[in-house]
Structures are given as C-alpha cells and as structure tokens.
Amino acid sequence: MKKNITILIAAVLAATSCLNEENRSYATAETYYRNLVQIESGLNACYDPMRSIIGAGFFQMTECATDVMYLSSTTRSDANCVISPTKPGVGSAVWKQSYLAIMRANSVIASIHRSVEAGYVTEEEVQPSLAEAVVMRAFYYYYLTSTFGDVPYYTWEVTEDNRAETTRLPRRSAEEIRDLLTDELMDWLMPEDKGGRAVLPLTRSYSNGYRAGAAVGLMLAGKFCMWNGRWDDALAVYGVIEDIYGHYADAPEAFGSAYPLTDIPFKKKFTPESIWEVSNHIEDYGVQTWMTLACYCTPFRSDEDVEPDDDDESSAPEKVSDIYNGIVIPELGKYARTYAAARPTKYYYNQLMTYNGDDLRAGEYNKVDDPASPRGGSGNLAWRWKGYAKTDLDKENLKVLWFSTTGGKASGRPWLGNKFWCEDMIYNHDDNNYKVFRYAGALLNMAEAYFWLGDFDSCCKYLNIIRTRAGISKLSSSDFSGSDDLLEAVREECARELYGEFQRKFDLVRWGIWYERTCEYNNSAYIMDYIQPCHRYYPIPSDQVEYSDGALDNKEYTGQ
C-alpha cells in the first residue's frame, strides 16, 4: 500500500493544483488553498471519485443481489456474489475511490487550517468549506462501512511522516466510526437550538447550487444512526430535514403535490425532493460525462438493417432499430446499447408491485381500465408500453402493447420501468442523474425509528405520507396483529419506494436478513451457486491487504 499511498498523494496534489498555467509546476497543498476559489477547487476533487463508485457494478451489488431484483448473467459477478478477496468486483472501486476521496478531504481540511494560521483566509469565512469537506468525508465512510463493515479510519492529512502509520491501519469497528461521524455531522450541521452550529444553510440540496450541503450531511447522520440503533438521534436529525423539506405527517395528501411521483425517474434532474444525485450530462461539442446504468435497465433492443431516412440512394443500411422487445418505442431512439438486463424478482412484482394494482409506482401502462393513458407514476416496472408493432403500418397513432416476453399475460415477468430508461441514448452513453438520497427515504427511516421506539401510530403516519402519494391505502397500527407485521410493512414500503436507488442491500444487511431474503427470493440462475453469509459484506481487495503488511485481513472469508 506504500506505493498506492504515494500515487494517491500525487493525485491529491494534481487534482488540487493551481488552474493557472504559470503556477502548475510548483503548487502544492502547502502553497495552495489561499483563497476561497482555490479551496473550492480542492473540494471539487472530493466529488470526482463518487462517479467512479456509482454505476453499473454498484447497482448490481446494492440492488441485483437482493430480494427485489436480479441479473442472471455469468459475467456479472457483483449481481451473483462471485466475490472473493482476489476477485473483489465493484468492491475494489468502492475501496480505492473512497479512500482517495477521504485523503483529498483530509488534505483540504488540513490545508484550510494552515491558510487560516498564515492569515490568507479568516476562520469565519472558511467554516462552510470545512463543513462541506466533513460532509464529503462522511459520505465515503458511509459507503465503506456499508460495503465492508469494519474498515480503517483516519482523519489526518497523509504526509511522508505518517504514511507508514496510515498504510498499516487495521480495521476499526464500523459502529465506532458511525458514532464518531454522527457526532461530528450533528455538531457542524444541526441548528443551535438542537446543539449544533448550523454552519451550512438549512435548505433543500438543489435550491442553492449543486454541492453537498446540510441536507446531505444530515441524511448521512441519519443513516449512521439507523445502523447503530440511535433512534432518538435519528428522529432529531431527520426532523431537521423535515423542517427543510416540509411536514406532511398530518397532511399526507399534500406531499404528492409538493413532490410529484413523476419527478422520481432518473431522467428528471435535480428535482426538489432530491437530497443527492450523481449527475451525468452530455452537451453537443461540450463536456460529456456518462455512465451505463440504463443499458442494464432497458428492454432488449433488436438490431436490424434499417434503410436510412434520407434521399441518398447510395447510403448503406444501418444496424439500428427502435424496437425494444417487440415494441417500436420512438422516445428510446435507434442507437441505444442494451445489455443483459436486471429484472424484478417474482416476490417484487407478484407481492409488492402487482399488475393492475393501485400502486402508481408499479408501471405507467399497467392498468387495464385505461391502458392508453400513462398513470403519472415513478415507473418502477414495465409490462407494456406505448408504441407500435414492427409490422404496423399506422406509425402515427401509438397504442399500448405488451412486451413480447409477457406473452400477453399479466403473469409474465416485466422489465424495469422508465424510472431507469435514458431517452434517445446513443450507444451506452446514459446521461441520466442517479438518485441516491431522496426526502422519501428520510421519511421511511423516520417511520422505522418510530417503530423501534414503540410508537406504532407515528410509524404508520410516516408510512402513509409515502403510500398516499403512491395511491394506495393508508395504514393504521390496528391493522397489524403484531409488531413483526408492521416491521415487514416498513421493509416492503422501502422496497417499493426506493427501488433501484442503491439502498436495498444496505438495508437488508442492516436488518440482519440479507442472506436469508436473497436466498429465498432472488431469481438469478447463478447466485445460489456462489452466495454465502459472508457476502453480506465485501472482502477487502487482496492487494490492499498486501499493501497493509498484514494489518488488514479477510478472516470471515477465510473461515478464521
């Protein structure tokens, strides 16, 4: 890991070096960060690794290797738990990119303090930048502890003097790390009347720019509290988010008006309900960033020789088509690249998202009473879609058709819905934004926290905010014969609402039921050949164990 640390230090300095050509040759962490513009450029480098983590492999780990989704392909190791220390899958990216970002955040924090001591900036004016760095550091520790459990923890700047010490840090209890980060985030972000300093504005994430602000940090603190069973603190933290995003427990009907379901699909960017999104964008002749998630979430596209739509008779046919599993879907375009697709499990679409059910999240065209009109939901699934058949001569009047694999039956397996599709995608260039945290997730965590505190009425009130927007019946504590049934209702609502938003495996592991539920409900043809209880957490990549000179280990994977 010594070589690795050296490389990462160089990356930190390179990423935060001065943008002016004449300064690039000698700018370092010691000579940079002398004004707020330079500090912000250093913070920008803390965001970059997130895109290297979030994506297809992370989605397969957090969603496909669960009870609600699967991906039956021999080449998708993360979806089928083909994981070991020497084959860590997406765990390698989570580990390396998270620690790269943490080292960058630590470097920024240390450099800001040096600049304050030297008089380049004042303590007061850099407080928001310090708080932002604290939030970003916590974000990556959230991914590390959720993915690996116990991990090395440090908050100091890596230098030549402490490099060896940092390299040989052992695992530290994930519970301890979460407690430390919760207390730190609450100190920086909670209002003064609740024991904090409220350094960052208590506003919705995308009302004042696109940076990780107070709402993101409070969401992380709440997540840490949920893991550690700090239910009162969870409610306190989420209560501040509730102050920011609005109180709806006593008026659940208003929640859908403020935050419509139609804003949930990934193509809707920086929506008011969003607490954090990982963004992509493609501009003609401009900056282009994309990931490939939509390729795994779209119905299979048929490649066919199609004559070009122009008057040039010499033009050759192209291998293009806008036929997706038997339906011509114009809005998806002719050039999208589709891979072996993630699909919903039978448990998910039979029990939670039943065809022709009332839940608006189930699918846009799944109701038989008015199949020609979209329902205005979040588009979790798609049994059929509006388009036309290949042989249909009437290409102007679109109609709702069944996808081929359903065979015209409601009992057929649906595809993932338009929540995940990227319209007019060219090849594998998915430019959607990936929803990571939404206000709905905070409300569901509040419902769960109330459950563990024994306040079942409040638990149901917060579940009903989510259920009312989805068009399904409200719940009352009297509806349940026992607490286990209510807890299962919470878990099911999380599955319905947060489908595909990189949370399901983390929740199942936190509840202590990941292995059993995945074995019972996952429909992959391959996962049962590989899945083991130890897979609830990923192994530390073997090269990182080697770099640590034996300070790190994977005892759970080796049976020690």
Side-chain angles (χ1 to χ4, degrees):
M1 192 171 181
K2 291 181 179 179
K3 179 180 178 182
N4 206 33
I5 288 288
T6 302
I7 293 172
L8 294 181
I9 291 173
V12 172
L13 298 181
T16 58
S17 62
C18 186
L19 298 179
N20 296 323
E21 289 290 341
E22 63 271 21
N23 291 334
R24 282 182 179 169
S25 62
Y26 60 83
T28 68
E30 287 74 22
T31 62
Y32 202 55
Y33 305 109
R34 294 186 173 182
N35 57 55
L36 294 181
V37 173
Q38 292 176 346
I39 290 170
E40 183 173 305
S41 71
L43 286 169
N44 289 344
C46 300
Y47 288 81
D48 295 338
M50 197 174 297
R51 296 191 68 259
S52 299
I53 296 173
I54 294 286
F58 196 72
F59 182 83
Q60 290 162 25
M61 173 184 75
T62 55
E63 296 294 329
C64 297
T66 71
D67 57 345
V68 298
M69 197 182 297
Y70 74 100
L71 204 169
S72 194
S73 170
T74 56
T75 62
R76 305 305 169 195
S77 59
D78 296 290
N80 292 294
C81 295
V82 189
I83 301 299
S84 69
T86 57
K87 293 184 177 180
V90 75
S92 180
V94 176
W95 183 276
K96 294 176 182 179
Q97 295 299 320
S98 292
Y99 277 115
L100 170 59
I102 287 167
M103 188 161 61
R104 288 176 175 174
N106 291 341
S107 179
V108 171
I109 291 170
S111 298
I112 290 174
H113 286 309
R114 280 194 295 268
S115 292
V116 171
E117 292 173 1
Y120 294 115
V121 290
T122 67
E123 182 76 32
E124 182 179 2
E125 67 181 337
V126 298
Q127 288 299 297
S129 298
L130 287 169
E132 184 179 342
V134 166
V135 170
M136 291 304 297
R137 181 170 63 193
F139 203 117
Y140 292 101
Y141 274 122
Y142 167 70
Y143 278 157
L144 285 167
T145 55
S146 299
T147 302
F148 299 98
D150 300 344
V151 295
Y153 176 76
Y154 74 99
T155 58
W156 55 81
E157 182 180 31
V158 177
T159 66
E160 288 298 322
D161 293 334
N162 64 25
R163 182 184 61 181
E165 174 191 355
T166 305
T167 300
R168 289 191 284 269
L169 284 172
R171 290 178 183 254
R172 185 168 182 174
S173 162
E175 184 175 357
E176 291 181 15
I177 294 172
R178 293 180 186 120
D179 277 340
L180 289 169
L181 292 169
T182 298
D183 294 342
E184 183 177 44
L185 289 167
M186 292 179 73
D187 174 54
W188 280 95
L189 304 175
M190 293 289 278
E192 292 183 5
D193 62 350
K194 294 180 176 159
R197 291 182 280 159
V199 171
L200 294 175
L202 296 175
T203 58
R204 285 197 298 249
S205 289
Y206 299 114
S207 60
N208 290 312
Y210 304 95
R211 309 190 72 83
V216 177
L218 292 168
M219 190 73 179
L220 289 167
K223 289 285 187 182
F224 291 140
C225 288
M226 298 301 291
W227 274 95
N228 283 9
R230 294 172 56 170
W231 312 120
D232 288 317
D233 283 336
L235 290 175
V237 169
Y238 287 131
V240 178
I241 294 180
E242 194 176 20
D243 291 339
I244 297 171
Y245 283 80
H247 292 257
Y248 298 98
D250 295 321
E253 293 79 7
F255 181 62
S257 298
Y259 304 110
L261 277 177
T262 50
D263 277 354
I264 292 177
F266 288 3
K267 68 179 181 179
K268 298 292 187 71
K269 302 185 176 186
F270 305 117
T271 56
E273 187 193 345
S274 288
I275 292 178
W276 190 244
E277 303 178 8
V278 175
S279 63
N280 294 299
H281 58 274
I282 295 178
E283 300 175 2
D284 292 338
Y285 311 108
V287 175
Q288 299 191 12
T289 63
W290 67 83
M291 287 181 272
T292 62
L293 182 57
C295 300
Y296 297 91
C297 301
T298 306
F300 175 73
R301 184 181 71 84
S302 303
D303 275 334
E304 296 187 357
D305 287 329
V306 178
E307 295 297 331
D309 296 327
D310 56 43
D311 297 327
D312 184 1
E313 296 182 357
S314 64
S315 298
E318 295 182 274
K319 283 279 188 182
V320 299
S321 166
D322 53 4
I323 303 173
Y324 294 83
N325 195 216
I327 304 176
V328 178
I329 304 178
E331 66 263 35
L332 291 183
K334 297 182 178 182
Y335 297 93
R337 187 168 296 164
T338 57
Y339 302 147
R343 306 296 290 272
T345 62
K346 290 181 180 179
Y347 160 71
Y348 188 73
Y349 69 80
N350 275 341
Q351 293 180 231
L352 305 183
M353 294 269 101
T354 55
Y355 179 75
N356 202 31
D358 293 325
D359 198 317
L360 295 173
R361 297 166 295 192
E364 291 298 276
Y365 298 106
N366 61 309
K367 289 286 280 187
V368 297
D369 52 359
D370 188 14
S373 299
R375 305 182 68 202
S378 58
N380 288 9
L381 305 178
W383 282 266
R384 51 189 181 179
W385 201 255
K386 198 169 188 177
Y388 57 88
K390 175 185 174 182
T391 57
D392 195 341
L393 298 179
D394 183 3
K395 297 177 172 54
E396 299 298 326
N397 298 310
L398 305 183
K399 50 184 170 291
V400 176
L401 302 172
W402 290 93
F403 284 112
S404 296
T405 53
T406 64
K409 298 178 181 179
S411 60
R413 189 182 301 275
W415 296 92
L416 298 189
N418 59 305
K419 176 177 182 176
F420 309 100
W421 300 352
C422 178
E423 296 182 358
D424 290 315
M425 183 168 65
I426 304 299
Y427 307 123
N428 63 349
H429 298 180
D430 175 7
D431 65 337
N432 288 334
N433 279 12
Y434 301 163
K435 305 291 173 68
V436 176
F437 294 144
R438 288 189 292 114
Y439 183 34
L443 295 173
L444 287 168
N445 282 163
M446 292 183 77
E448 184 186 344
Y450 277 120
F451 168 84
W452 290 114
L453 290 172
D455 187 347
F456 297 159
D457 289 336
S458 293
C459 173
C460 290
K461 287 179 70 172
Y462 279 86
L463 286 179
N464 287 337
I465 300 173
I466 306 301
R467 293 173 65 87
T468 299
R469 180 173 68 170
I472 56 179
S473 62
K474 295 180 182 179
L475 299 176
S476 169
S477 58
S478 60
D479 297 332
F480 300 92
S481 58
S483 60
D484 289 346
D485 292 338
L486 179 54
L487 178 58
E488 185 60 21
V490 172
R491 292 168 174 171
E492 290 179 350
E493 206 57 52
C494 289
R496 283 188 283 257
E497 178 65 25
L498 305 177
Y499 194 56
E501 296 182 25
F502 313 96
Q503 301 295 323
R504 188 60 177 177
K505 183 182 181 184
F506 295 160
D507 281 342
L508 292 174
V509 173
R510 179 170 63 82
W511 293 326
I513 59 174
W514 171 78
Y515 178 73
E516 294 76 13
R517 290 287 284 259
T518 303
C519 288
E520 183 175 2
Y521 294 121
N522 192 281
N523 299 137
S524 170
Y526 309 105
I527 194 170
M528 293 311 299
D529 293 334
Y530 302 100
I531 188 171
Q532 299 292 332
C534 63
H535 288 137
R536 73 188 191 281
Y537 292 122
Y538 266 51
I540 297 174
S542 58
D543 60 343
Q544 300 300 313
V545 174
E546 181 181 349
Y547 289 142
S548 75
D549 291 334
L552 298 174
D553 62 71
N554 286 299
K555 291 181 178 179
E556 191 170 9
Y557 275 75
T558 59
Q560 298 178 7

